[in-house]
Amino acid sequence: MTSFDSSPTLNAWRALLALAVVFVMLATSGWTAIRGHSGDSEPRSKALAAWARDTIDGHKLPKADGTAQQLAQFFGSITAAERDRLADRYPLVVGNLNGAPVTLRYRANRTALAEARTVEQKRTVDPRLSADGRQDASRRMHRFDSLLDDDRQILAFDPSDTGRVAEVFGDLDRAQRVSVIIPGVDTNVLTFEKSSRKNTAPVGMAESLYAAEHAAAPSTRTAVIAWADYTAPAGLGMDAAIGRLAEDGAVRLSAMVRALPGTAPVELFCHSYGSVVCGVSSRELPSRVSDITVAGSPGMRVRNAAQLGTKAQVWAMRDRDDWIQDVPYLDVAGLGHGADPVSAAFGSRVLSAAGAIGHTGYFEPGTQSLANFAAIGVGAYRTVGCSAADAACADGISDRPAA
């Protein structure tokens, strides 16, 4: 006899109730307004078109959407002077080519940022723009100024629309372990870094993790990437409740990871909607990805960890004050992102997030959440702090010291 609590009828009513809750939240918080996201706009599209027409030594340039291996072979076949000329002529192309040498991408993106800053500087005094438009131009100009600081290593940059950017901390070419932070909603070029509450933005998250990893394993050469090179949902709108942007982001994430130099293990740290991106990309990630850690996750668009189709260790954490726990974990006709990654049924290794405050506090120094990220980042699994609900979260795996 099936109990009433687990009966199909009651479960159906629960699903309907959860769906109703979602639509009430959408209707009462402005989520129903679907925000449009256009594709690449000027000037990158012009640069790509010119690149496609150009030649070097009488040979056409490789396709910008070629594989990382094809692009690496191309750049390895030309001289250093030729590489530099291409970076200077096509900074918005070369700076975003997976497979191009990372130092060349840094050079190209400095040029692209300088050009974008000049464009925004002119817009700040353009009488055709509204006061709000000129203010937005001023904010973008100052952001590009900041990204142009001498010691910054910008791995990707595209000023189109709300902007995309990725930054490296550490020596990516020589790293023994590489961590990638994938942020969530409202991530764009303006929110990439913050002066107030800095550890809630991708740059602050990456700096915080990089310092914590160095403290955890001083002799290990680590690199951390703040990866905001995808179009994230703008606010808690319909885009945040469905998987369209995550699917696009997953393609970009897997391509970037496959193009990373060297053979060092890669760990993904996926926050909020970033965990949806990680979930969708999991089957396409290379085997060097050893760990996928999600924090404050609305789901990974699967029913359990086994469906992710990855051999990487899957970790999850959620602060007890994180509002994300009140979002229904469901997937009905594409709405919602599936099961709760910290639930026992999901099958992830559940970590403590002690000390983190709310949805954006996971990367604050002094928290158990950051200490756990750092331990995973350097392969020191025996030092992780498990959730009270999963006290044996690190059982069955051994530390992976850097080679």
Side-chain angles (χ1 to χ4, degrees), residues 26-41:
L26 294 178
T28 57
S29 63
W31 287 22
T32 50
I34 301 177
R35 300 169 186 262
H37 295 273
S38 58
D40 287 338
S41 57

Side-chain angles (χ1 to χ4, degrees), residues 19 22 238 240-243 273 276 298-302 327-339:
L19 188 59
V22 171
M238 185 62 79
I242 61 177
Y273 190 85
V276 186
M300 302 179 75
R301 299 195 74 77
V302 292
V327 173
Y329 286 91
L330 75 161
D331 182 3
V332 178
L335 183 66
H337 302 303

Side-chain angles (χ1 to χ4, degrees), residues 301-359:
R301 299 195 74 77
V302 292
R303 292 192 298 274
N304 53 59
Q307 290 186 336
L308 291 171
T310 177
K311 293 183 179 179
Q313 300 292 336
V314 180
W315 308 82
M317 69 171 71
R318 186 175 64 219
D319 179 62
R320 63 183 180 180
D321 297 321
D322 192 334
W323 58 261
I324 202 75
Q325 64 191 310
D326 297 322
V327 173
Y329 286 91
L330 75 161
D331 182 3
V332 178
L335 183 66
H337 302 303
D340 182 355
V342 303
S343 67
F346 190 84
S348 63
R349 298 173 181 269
V350 184
L351 298 160
S352 170
I357 299 176
H359 187 60

Side-chain angles (χ1 to χ4, degrees), residues 155-178:
L155 184 67
F157 171 68
D158 183 357
S160 305
D161 303 319
T162 58
R164 296 195 293 253
V165 62
E167 182 172 8
V168 175
F169 298 85
D171 188 337
L172 191 56
D173 281 319
R174 298 179 62 247
Q176 295 170 299
R177 302 190 73 90
V178 178

